[in-house]
Amino acid sequence: MSGTLFIVATPIGNLEDITYRAVRTLKECDVIACEDTRQTRKLLDHYGIQQPVLSLHEHNEADRIPEVLDRIRAGEKVALVSDAGTPLISDPGYRLVAVATEQGIPVVPIPGVSAITAALSAAGLPTDSFFFGGFLPARGGPRRTELELRQDDPHTLVYYEAPHRILETLEDIAVTLPERPVVVARELTKMHEEFLRGTPSAIATELRSRPAIKGEITLLLGKPDKETTVVNDDAIRQAVDSKIAAGASKKDAMKAVAKDLGLSKSEIYRILIQDQASS
């Protein structure tokens, strides 16, 4: 009888940030697959979890996956954890999950902490939609290319970044995406947790003043600030008439002008109705 693969989220810093369900699942599993057995053992010892562990990381996935799947097919319950946070989010595990689902093995998520959602929840930036890009490229050229590709992206942008590269990255942001507000979330859930908010240049200046920059960093870029354009009614009427003269129907002309000027179609309709009422 086939067993189950559990994807278990673990704390990103504070050991109290784990769910009752996650602790119970780890205690009930036959084996726990993890990136670094020493790191995971610290968490397990804290909660009195004695289950055996085996290493599963990007360098041994190819050899280890068949062994893990054999154990599950034999009826064992296997928990997959990363060193911190939710497995597979910029961490190993995708290949194991992909093969397991292809073979019809039950895969059950045990949700919990993620640096992405933790940073978004307290950054003070729009969260109705966001793009997560993992780690930015380490080299300057590819990194600037990635940022330039996001110039017209209407979402809040979220990346992971290494402390020794954050100053160079902020400099690149100041050039490529200067209109976006920036938040650097550092050491989330840990003793020295902090959020630095402002322009990329201002945050870089603050970080340069420190003896060293340490800790894991989640980098967030808010939606681009758009200048508010004041458009009078006459300009709107002229824009609609111009579209109609070019062959558009009145409905299509109103829709196009609303999009061009960043207005609602109801606002365009209100102005034109006023014209009809006064004529």
Side-chain angles (χ1 to χ4, degrees), residues 100-119:
T101 55
E102 288 174 0
Q103 297 186 8
I105 291 173
V107 178
V108 178
I110 310 296
V113 181
S114 168
I116 303 167
T117 52

Side-chain angles (χ1 to χ4, degrees), residues 38-53:
R38 294 167 299 179
Q39 182 70 19
T40 297
R41 181 50 67 188
K42 294 177 184 177
L43 173 68
L44 300 181
D45 288 346
H46 182 79
Y47 284 99
I49 300 171
Q50 302 300 320
Q51 266 60 18
V53 297

Side-chain angles (χ1 to χ4, degrees), residues 135 138 143 161-169 212-215 217:
F135 279 91
R143 183 171 58 241
E161 187 53 286
H164 64 277
R165 290 196 297 266
I166 187 61
L167 289 177
E168 294 178 357
T169 296
I213 304 171
K214 299 179 180 180
I217 291 173

Side-chain angles (χ1 to χ4, degrees), residues 10-12 34-40 43 81-85 91-92:
T10 56
I12 59 176
C34 52
E35 287 182 83
D36 185 332
T37 57
R38 294 167 299 179
Q39 182 70 19
T40 297
L43 173 68
V81 301
S82 64
D83 284 347
D91 279 323

Side-chain angles (χ1 to χ4, degrees), residues 150-151 153-155 157 177-182 200 221-224:
R150 303 299 165 192
Q151 287 179 334
D153 196 314
H155 311 103
L157 309 178
L177 301 170
E179 77 286 358
R180 288 180 179 260
V182 175
L221 290 75
K223 296 182 180 182

Side-chain angles (χ1 to χ4, degrees), residues 134-173:
F135 279 91
L136 280 165
R139 294 171 51 225
R143 183 171 58 241
R144 286 188 291 274
T145 298
E146 162 63 20
L147 293 171
E148 288 168 356
L149 289 173
R150 303 299 165 192
Q151 287 179 334
D152 297 323
D153 196 314
H155 311 103
T156 292
L157 309 178
V158 185
Y159 294 99
Y160 290 152
E161 187 53 286
H164 64 277
R165 290 196 297 266
I166 187 61
L167 289 177
E168 294 178 357
T169 296
L170 289 170
E171 291 171 358
D172 290 339
I173 293 171

Side-chain angles (χ1 to χ4, degrees), residues 175-196:
V175 173
T176 57
L177 301 170
E179 77 286 358
R180 288 180 179 260
V182 175
V183 176
V184 170
R186 192 180 69 85
E187 289 289 80
L188 290 171
T189 79
K190 300 177 184 177
M191 182 180 298
H192 300 293
E193 174 184 278
E194 72 172 339
F195 287 81
L196 299 174

